[in-house]
């Protein structure tokens, strides 16, 4: 059978691939599995000659550029949704994709909240408006204002009701954390209106969401990151879970700023809730993940993987905070679960090979990239 050629679509700017350890590991794992795998960006597509200027790692921090054959299947791991990429991604005549396009967080949460399969896990969420904010801070002691198209915890604002008013904590687009007390509801609304204008990501809107008491460790926000992926037979399997703990007084649990930590999920949940309840929580998290993929694929088509941010409140109730079709995998390294990390790298390639073999049939030709024609230093930078 013909060796499958898998293209990994990613963002490249100059000679830098962000998240390049992850991308490098995908290529390396693909080689072990018997596939020809390379990384490319929308700028590297040579449509006339039906070739790709693809990149493969040759040493730590160094990549070789080569003329590569047209991919049998493309996995879209590009996180920069700028116009040239979106224009290419809309075309249905160019590539066979392993994962379909998804949507913005606000539209996704609206879909989930309206689904009978998921709505019991969804906190109250509305498109941001001053009126919606006022209603939410009147009803709940904790409220979040989030960008409907954000990632990495950027532009997220936490509003906590206190004895003398409110406390606002947010992470700006720059990554800087800000905090301020605000005495009255009217001032909160004015402050947040300025925030959503200043911290808007591209032209996206914001959403306002019911806050949850996730301080499983006093003074720190905690949530579970669950990774569900297709395996080599095209079936959804939960690959792993970790518990992410934010820095003290941080409004988010995101790890990209280096101020949080990652714990082994089972160990922590068992210690916090006891064995019996911990088992129920874990099973419910997995049920949520499988139901979510049913809803997503019914609406958007086939996917490769999803990362779920799952809130487990102080009473052990499970909530879906958000879902991401292009999640990071580094949390498993941070929790020292290297076998799970390796499985998380292997499964997307295995699924892409499964799709490619369906496309290829019994052709025995074996395409490989031509000898490298350029060599580029690309820094190893993880998101």
């Amino acid at each position: 059978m013909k060796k499958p050629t898998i293209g990994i679509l990613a963002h490249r700017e100059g000679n830098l691939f962000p998240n390049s350890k992850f991308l490098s590991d995908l290529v390396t794992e693909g080689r072990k599995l018997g596939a020809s795998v390379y990384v490319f960006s929308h700028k590297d597509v040579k449509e006339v000659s039906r070739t790709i200027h693809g990149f493969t790692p040759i040493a730590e921090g160094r990549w070789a550029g080569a003329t590569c054959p047209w991919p049998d299947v493309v996995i879209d791991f590009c996180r920069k949704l700028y116009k040239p990429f979106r224009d290419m991604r809309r075309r249905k005549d160019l590539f066979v994709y392993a994962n379909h396009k998804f949507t913005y967080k606000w539209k996704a949460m609206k879909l989930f909240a309206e689904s009978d399969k998921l709505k019991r896990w969804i906190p109250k969420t509305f498109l941001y408006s001053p009126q919606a904010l006022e209603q939410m801070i009147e009803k709940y002691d904790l409220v979040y204002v989030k960008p409907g198209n954000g990632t990495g915890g950027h532009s997220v604002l936490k509003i906590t009701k206190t004895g003398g008013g409110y406390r606002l904590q947010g992470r700006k687009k720059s990554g800087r954390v800000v905090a301020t007390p605000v005495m009255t509801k009217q001032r909160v609304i004015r402050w947040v209106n300025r925030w959503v204008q200043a911290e808007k990501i591209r032209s996206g809107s914001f959403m306002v969401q019911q806050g949850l008491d996730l301080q499983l460790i006093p003074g720190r926000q905690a949530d579970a990151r669950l990774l569900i992926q297709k395996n080599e037979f095209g079936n959804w399997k939960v690959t792993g879970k970790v518990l992410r703990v934010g820095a003290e007084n941080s409004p988010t649990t995101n790890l990209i700023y280096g101020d949080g930590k990652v714990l082994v999920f089972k160990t922590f949940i068992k210690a916090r809730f006891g064995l019996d309840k911990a088992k129920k929580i874990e099973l419910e998290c997995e049920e949520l993940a499988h139901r979510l993929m049913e809803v997503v694929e019914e609406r958007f088509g086939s996917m490769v993987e999803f990362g779920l941010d799952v809130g487990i409140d102080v009473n052990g109730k499970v909530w879906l905070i958000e879902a991401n079709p292009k999640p990071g995998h580094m949390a498993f390294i941070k929790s020292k679960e290297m076998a799970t990390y390796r499985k998380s790298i292997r499964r997307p390639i295995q699924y892409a090979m499964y799709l490619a073999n369906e496309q290829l049939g019994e052709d025995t030709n074996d395409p490989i990239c031509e000898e490298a024609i350029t060599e580029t230093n690309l820094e190893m930078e993880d998101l």
Side-chain angles (χ1 to χ4, degrees):
M1 184 173 285
K2 176 181 174 182
K3 176 189 278 190
T5 300
I6 311 299
I8 306 295
L9 180 58
H11 174 61
R12 179 173 68 80
E13 189 168 347
N15 58 351
L16 175 65
F17 279 117
N19 205 24
S20 94
K21 173 174 170 49
F22 169 66
L23 298 173
S24 174
D25 289 346
L26 285 170
V27 175
T28 300
E29 192 61 36
R31 289 172 177 165
K32 293 177 183 177
L33 291 168
S36 175
V37 184
Y38 57 80
V39 182
F40 72 105
S41 78
H42 75 281
K43 297 179 286 190
D44 301 318
V45 177
K46 313 301 180 186
E47 193 171 352
V48 174
S49 61
R50 294 283 289 181
T51 60
I52 305 289
H53 185 69
F55 292 85
T56 55
I58 55 173
E60 184 175 349
R62 298 176 66 194
W63 293 70
T67 298
C68 295
W70 204 255
D72 299 308
V73 174
V74 170
I75 309 176
D76 174 9
F77 279 131
C78 185
R79 297 175 181 172
K80 298 282 188 180
L81 306 183
Y82 43 86
K83 189 177 186 304
F85 164 80
R86 286 186 283 121
D87 289 344
M88 186 191 78
R89 193 67 174 86
R90 287 191 187 101
R91 291 184 55 182
K92 298 181 180 180
D93 62 333
L94 203 58
F95 298 121
V96 174
Y97 287 100
N99 46 340
H100 283 69
K101 295 182 295 181
F102 192 49
T103 190
Y104 292 128
K105 289 180 182 179
W106 156 244
K107 291 183 178 180
M109 291 302 292
K110 188 172 184 292
L111 172 68
F112 302 156
E114 293 171 353
S115 168
D116 290 338
K117 294 180 179 180
L118 295 175
K119 60 186 179 183
R120 72 181 187 270
W121 289 302
I122 310 300
K124 292 292 183 184
T125 307
F126 298 98
L127 189 64
Y128 177 81
S129 70
Q131 295 76 20
L133 176 62
E134 182 174 12
Q135 291 173 11
M136 292 288 275
I137 61 178
E138 285 177 351
K139 186 171 183 179
Y140 299 108
D141 291 340
L142 180 62
V143 170
Y144 276 87
V145 175
K146 301 178 175 181
N149 60 343
T151 186
H154 296 285
S155 304
V156 172
L157 183 67
K158 175 184 175 184
I159 306 169
T160 308
K161 194 175 292 183
T162 64
Y166 302 86
R167 178 172 174 78
L168 278 57
Q169 295 171 276
R171 192 181 291 276
K172 298 172 76 68
K173 286 188 288 188
S174 65
R176 185 169 68 89
V177 174
V178 297
T180 184
V182 180
M183 301 307 295
T184 68
K185 180 174 62 178
Q186 290 71 27
R187 289 183 177 179
V188 169
I189 294 170
R190 289 197 295 270
W191 201 100
V192 177
N193 281 338
R194 292 194 296 270
W195 175 272
V196 300
Q197 289 301 316
E199 298 302 319
K200 182 183 296 186
I201 297 175
R202 297 186 298 276
S203 59
S205 57
F206 277 72
M207 54 187 175
V208 55
Q209 188 173 76
Q210 169 192 353
L212 309 169
D213 188 351
L214 304 180
Q215 292 195 35
L216 301 181
I217 298 174
R220 296 175 183 265
Q221 295 291 318
D223 64 23
R225 164 56 66 87
L226 181 150
L227 181 65
I228 185 168
Q229 298 175 299
K230 290 270 183 73
N231 66 6
E232 67 270 32
F233 304 110
N235 299 320
W236 285 108
K237 296 291 182 182
V238 174
T239 300
K241 315 172 198 70
V242 297
L243 195 85
R244 306 184 306 175
V245 182
E248 191 170 4
N249 296 319
S250 171
T252 68
T253 62
N254 298 87
L255 305 173
I256 61 174
Y257 304 102
D259 54 3
K261 59 182 178 179
V262 180
L263 304 175
V264 175
F265 178 88
K266 288 186 178 182
T267 303
F268 180 88
I269 295 298
K270 179 182 174 182
R272 179 65 173 75
F273 292 103
L275 179 60
D276 291 343
K277 191 163 187 176
K279 285 182 177 179
K280 291 179 181 178
I281 289 170
E282 184 169 19
L283 287 173
E284 187 173 358
C285 288
E286 297 200 0
E287 181 188 359
L288 164 58
H290 283 280
R291 297 294 81 77
L292 183 132
M293 296 322 305
E294 290 175 10
V295 172
V296 166
E297 292 196 313
E298 285 169 5
R299 173 64 179 82
F300 298 100
S302 182
M303 298 291 180
V304 170
E305 65 176 26
F306 255 72
L308 280 63
D309 292 345
V310 178
I312 301 165
D313 69 23
V314 294
N315 298 312
K317 181 172 171 53
V318 172
W319 301 86
L320 176 65
I321 300 173
E322 61 186 49
N324 185 349
K326 300 172 185 177
H329 292 221
M330 303 306 292
F332 297 116
I333 293 180
K334 293 179 183 293
S335 66
K336 298 180 171 57
E337 297 174 87
M338 294 307 299
T340 303
Y341 174 73
R342 286 191 293 271
K343 185 187 292 186
S344 80
I345 297 298
R346 187 165 60 249
R347 278 184 165 167
I349 301 297
Q350 288 176 319
Y351 177 59
M353 292 175 68
Y354 163 82
L355 292 180
N357 286 330
E358 285 190 334
Q359 298 281 328
L360 294 169
E362 294 297 322
D363 189 346
T364 58
N365 291 330
D366 192 8
I368 57 174
C369 292
E370 295 176 10
E371 185 176 353
I373 57 174
T374 61
E375 186 177 303
T376 312
N377 289 327
L378 299 180
E379 298 177 21
M380 301 291 268
E381 179 180 298
D382 301 323
L383 290 180

